Every structure is written in structure tokens, then in C-alpha cells.
Amino acid sequence: NIASAGRVCNRAHACPPNPGSDAPVAACTIDDMARDALAVVDELQLADVHVVGQSMGGMIAQRMAVLEPDAVRSRKPSL
């Protein structure tokens, strides 16, 4: 059970063309979403996190590791 290993945070991003987003398409890049996710990690005062991403989330997970290598212990992109 992954939850028994520690804290689990599930974050869905509302970004065009996803429903519920009114942001312009150009306003939402992989870097933007990686920085947003890293801000959540920071706000929750987490360190050394494991990041799992599916499809675009896999790209975000990889970018998170590049931007803040000390914050991301491991990443599991599933493309």
C-alpha cells in the first residue's frame, strides 16, 4: 500500500484544454506545471518526495527532478 509508506498527495492540474480551465493555452507549460507542483511540495513542507506521473504528468515529474533535484527522491514517469 503506497499510502502506508508516507504521505500521498494527488494533484490534478486544470490546464487547457482540460475542462474547468479558463487560462489561455499559452499560459500553461510543462515548466509552469512542474513549478506549481514543486510549490505544493514546498507549501506542504515535504522533502525528498517520490513523484509518479502518467502521460503529461510523466513529463512534469521529469521536469520537477531537473528543476529541483534535491526535492525529488525518485520519479516514475509512465508515458
Side-chain angles (χ1 to χ4, degrees):
N1 182 335
I2 194 168
S4 67
R7 201 168 181 181
V8 176
C9 178
N10 179 9
R11 178 120 195 271
H13 214 292
C15 182
N18 292 341
S21 175
D22 58 359
V25 173
C28 207
T29 67
I30 297 296
D31 270 15
D32 292 335
M33 291 181 279
R35 283 182 172 67
D36 285 350
L38 287 166
V40 171
V41 169
D42 187 51
E43 181 66 26
L44 294 174
Q45 298 178 344
L46 302 175
D48 212 26
V49 299
H50 300 280
V51 183
V52 178
Q54 173 74 27
S55 190
M56 183 169 56
M59 291 186 280
I60 294 167
Q62 290 182 45
R63 193 65 189 148
M64 288 173 68
V66 168
L67 292 170
E68 292 289 339
D70 292 336
V72 179
R73 174 185 267 186
S74 68
R75 67 208 181 288
K76 177 62 178 157
S78 178
L79 302 175

